[in-house]
Amino acid sequence: MNNDNENAFDDLLAANREFASDFRYGGFDGIAKAGIAIVTCMDSRIDPLGMLGLQPGDAKIFRNPGGRVTEAALEAIVLGAHLLNVQRVLVVPHTRCAVASNSEEDIADRVSESAGTDASWHRFHVVEDQKRTLEMDVRRVRSHPLIPERLQVGGFVYDVDSGLLDRVV
Ligand SMILES: [Zn+2]
């Protein structure tokens, strides 16, 4: 495989020029206009803005495998709450998530097979009980010493087949 193919992104750059030709979001400052922050999974079936009826500029979005409240997610939420107008935080894992429906061994095996080299040393942070993990993650936000009392934090599961959010905590 050639990793240095300089044409590898041409289609996307062409699409970007099209996107920029009637660009409507210039001149915004970086605050969350609607006061929303979302922590959700990297899953391609999730449209974080669309599922909440939001537009670009409205929300801070932090994504990772599983939609977990990691140290980096907490860093983003603290910045959001104090400097970027965030008033409400939604933590949103989803149904049929790969990291919540496979074991650590299964995922490492599949990565090993694809990589052609052992991946068992790498942690993929699988989730064994999605609802309990979500409750724990929401608690991590609420109990953080730099998270203000006024911040509303909710935990929801997004159904990738119906598009609906189900509040868990
Ligand atoms: Zn996922």
Side-chain angles (χ1 to χ4, degrees):
M1 192 173 74
N2 181 2
N3 280 325
D4 300 317
N5 182 347
E6 62 181 43
N7 303 320
F9 300 96
D10 283 359
D11 55 334
L12 299 175
L13 288 173
N16 171 253
R17 284 188 292 274
E18 183 67 27
F19 171 74
S21 69
D22 67 340
F23 192 60
R24 287 158 294 168
Y25 305 114
F28 278 9
D29 52 26
I31 65 158
K33 271 201 307 182
I36 307 293
I38 307 161
V39 177
T40 193
C41 184
M42 65 191 276
D43 195 289
S44 49
R45 293 167 290 188
I46 301 172
D47 173 2
L49 292 175
M51 74 181 180
L52 296 170
L54 300 173
Q55 305 290 325
D58 283 345
K60 297 294 166 189
I61 302 170
F62 190 93
R63 304 186 74 159
N64 59 31
R68 300 296 314 282
V69 177
T70 58
E71 282 303 312
L74 285 167
E75 180 183 325
I77 295 167
V78 167
L79 286 171
H82 290 286
L83 307 181
L84 301 166
N85 187 45
V86 169
Q87 319 286 332
R88 290 184 286 173
V89 177
L90 297 90
V91 183
V92 188
H94 65 98
T95 58
R96 299 204 283 124
C97 183
V99 298
S101 53
N102 290 282
S103 69
E104 193 80 28
E105 292 75 20
D106 287 342
I107 291 180
D109 282 352
R110 287 164 60 193
V111 173
S112 298
E113 204 177 301
S114 170
T117 185
D118 176 53
S120 62
W121 53 272
H122 199 295
R123 282 211 58 200
F124 295 99
H125 299 93
V126 299
V127 169
E128 286 187 3
D129 183 332
Q130 193 176 51
K131 289 196 172 163
R132 269 193 57 197
T133 300
L134 178 55
E135 285 164 5
M136 206 174 70
D137 277 355
V138 166
R139 208 175 311 132
R140 283 195 86 194
V141 181
R142 289 187 179 141
S143 63
H144 192 284
L146 294 175
I147 292 297
E149 282 286 311
R150 62 174 164 79
L151 195 77
Q152 297 291 316
V153 187
F156 308 78
V157 174
Y158 177 73
D159 185 325
V160 294
D161 295 302
S162 71
L164 289 169
L165 287 165
D166 178 29
R167 182 153 193 184
V168 171
V169 58

